[in-house]
Amino acid sequence: MRFRSVPRLIALLTTAAVVTVPALVAPTVEAAPGAKFTVSPGAGNFGKVTLTASETKTFTVKNTSQMQLVFQVDQVDGAINFGQNLPTTGDGHCMVDTGGDPHFWGVAPGGTCDFEIEYAPHQGPDWQVTYAHKGSFTITAFEAALTDVYVHGPASGALVAKTLKVSGKGVTPKVKINPATVNFGTVHTNGAAVYGTMVTNKSDIPLEVRPTNYAGHEPFEFIFPNGELYDGLCRATDGGTGELYMTILPGESCEVRVLAQGPTGGNHTDQLQLLVGRSDLDDSGYHSGWSGHVQSLVYVKVKVHGSGHPG
């Protein structure tokens, strides 16, 4: 980067050449009315982001003072869901690499430098999905240490600091079931019937949908033809364990099949459960693994009327 007041170059330096400054969480700011900068936008609201997906926003620091400054960005809270990438672009080469953490980057008077914050909502422990997230970052300015034509990092303690608040909301992946109610009508007590329903991925990320059978759902269960891949990306096995997943890309649909077998007399109603999570796909676009966490639950309501006598 060339500073506009006096032509200077920013060089990559080793840690030994930099004044050591501890990581800043709540910096003690020195009185320095001449050090001023702005951050725009002044806050980051990421809005709704599908769980396990991510959204990135760019923020711009502008040195509005008459002195050459170096900056440091520290994450204060929200470490699980928010991450930083600094800097990316600006007036020339913004970053002064000190050879390790912390990193400082220089901005000339009137100059700008950009950095990014990524929001990636995750669920909490024990499969409990968390939705609303908040975090904050501290952007701290130091006087630039200059030797000859090089910027060596900070030459002072913290001169001025600003807090950047960020927020976002994780939303569960959406799937549509059509029909959502499977009505088998009459099935004889020694008979069976199969009914298909379509599952459509209405989210913006690839999904794994696992039809799950639990005890107590007789006479209903999900079935899988031969446990094999078919219909493009709709099915994949999980490493030969016998548990099958439906890999569904955004906007695509796959069929799940429900079996009613051997009902006793009278009416039967129940709900079968679909576990929905993010899909991990390999380079060819095929299922390569379950994301490991359930992001939402979807239910298929099934009905059958048993005749109450052998057919």
Side-chain angles (χ1 to χ4, degrees), residues 158-223:
L159 299 180
V160 61
K162 296 181 181 292
T163 298
L164 175 68
K165 293 185 178 181
V166 291
S167 61
K169 184 177 182 179
V171 294
T172 56
K174 295 180 180 179
V175 297
K176 179 181 179 180
I177 308 296
N178 185 31
T181 299
V182 177
N183 193 337
F184 283 91
T186 298
V187 179
H188 292 285
T189 55
N190 64 345
V194 175
Y195 202 108
T197 184
M198 298 301 295
V199 181
T200 302
N201 181 358
K202 306 292 287 186
S203 293
D204 55 355
I205 59 173
L207 295 179
E208 296 289 354
V209 179
R210 182 200 293 183
T212 302
N213 295 318
Y214 290 110
H217 282 302
E218 294 82 0
F220 308 113
E221 64 177 324
F222 291 116
I223 60 171

Side-chain angles (χ1 to χ4, degrees), residues 51-71:
L51 287 167
T52 75
S54 65
E55 183 74 23
T56 299
K57 288 184 179 293
T58 299
F59 298 83
T60 300
V61 171
K62 182 175 183 180
N63 182 358
T64 58
S65 65
Q66 297 302 311
M67 59 191 304
Q68 296 151 339
L69 298 175
V70 292
F71 292 88

Side-chain angles (χ1 to χ4, degrees), residues 7 37 55-56 84 88-89 93 163 166 277 305:
F37 71 93
E55 183 74 23
T56 299
Q84 60 190 8
T88 55
T89 59
H93 298 287
T163 298
V166 291
H305 175 76

Side-chain angles (χ1 to χ4, degrees), residues 1 4 60-61 87-94 106-107 111-115:
M1 175 195 300
R4 295 175 180 171
T60 300
V61 171
T88 55
T89 59
D91 291 349
H93 298 287
C94 300
V107 183
T112 64
C113 197
D114 297 344
F115 66 94

Side-chain angles (χ1 to χ4, degrees), residues 11 15-16 78 178 206 249 258 282 299 306:
T15 306
N178 185 31
L249 301 182
V258 183
D282 59 24
Y299 293 93

Side-chain angles (χ1 to χ4, degrees), residues 89-127:
T89 59
D91 291 349
H93 298 287
C94 300
M95 191 168 187
V96 178
D97 192 346
T98 64
D101 291 329
H103 291 295
F104 300 95
W105 34 284
V107 183
T112 64
C113 197
D114 297 344
F115 66 94
E116 295 177 340
I117 293 179
E118 181 183 25
Y119 172 53
H122 298 283
Q123 64 182 27
D126 301 324
W127 288 22

